[in-house]
Amino acid sequence: MNYRWWVLLLLGLPGWALAGPCSLLIVGDSLSSGYGLAAGQGWVDLLDARMKKAAPQWRVINASVSGDTTQNGLQRLAPALARHHPQGVLIGLGGNDALRGIPPQVIRQNLVTMIRQAKAAGAWVALLEAPVLPNYGKPYADALAKLYVEVARAEKIVRVPCFVCAVGTSPDLMQADGIHPNEKAQSKMLDAVWPHIRPKLRCAVKKP
């Protein structure tokens, strides 16, 4: 079999044509996994579609799992980095921690460890600020909001301000549970994230 036919055979294998030279790994919770939405409607799917036009050398790998906390994300990150070797990592965790009242210092340590693991793997990192419901009072909510600012500044990474907060106050943009944004909100969520990560989409693949 000559080289030309070998290449054509590879391109015909499932998944091969989808592979891109640079990838953005998203490690999040239900807000990024598309909870309650039809396939292809989530903001991460919209991001992938936008990147195909604005940064076609990039692809999205969505490793988000509904219900995940920062501890869950920490447990899953290292295997995901080893498997995908992403050039960028977007961390969108902490909302479920807040629902459980997990101490801010625990959330901070988990996020910092994840950020440093990603950076050690050669990826740039962006941190999505988590929405915090007032279940545990204003001091707790303020401590969490401050935490994201401080972690991003200390680790010298991109911080994306709460990308769901603007839609969370509009009932027509929320699902029946009042917690998860509906399909109409997803483009607005993407628009809140895009300006922060767009400057990072410069593709440079490091050889292993």
Side-chain angles (χ1 to χ4, degrees), residues 93-162:
L93 295 167
N96 289 310
D97 299 65
L99 288 174
R100 292 165 172 78
I102 293 176
Q105 61 268 28
V106 174
I107 301 173
R108 179 192 297 267
Q109 186 56 56
N110 288 339
L111 290 174
V112 168
T113 303
M114 292 181 70
I115 291 165
R116 292 180 179 177
Q117 285 183 356
K119 290 166 73 173
W124 55 262
V125 183
L127 179 64
L128 290 179
E129 186 176 315
V132 182
L133 299 177
N135 302 40
Y136 297 95
K138 189 174 185 300
Y140 180 81
D142 289 347
L144 270 128
K146 184 179 180 182
L147 178 160
Y148 283 86
V149 174
E150 292 176 345
V151 167
R153 181 184 300 122
E155 298 300 318
K156 296 180 173 60
I157 62 168
V158 173
R159 177 181 67 89
V160 181
C162 182

Side-chain angles (χ1 to χ4, degrees), residues 17-28:
L18 297 177
C22 280
S23 59
L24 173 62
L25 176 69
I26 299 181
V27 183

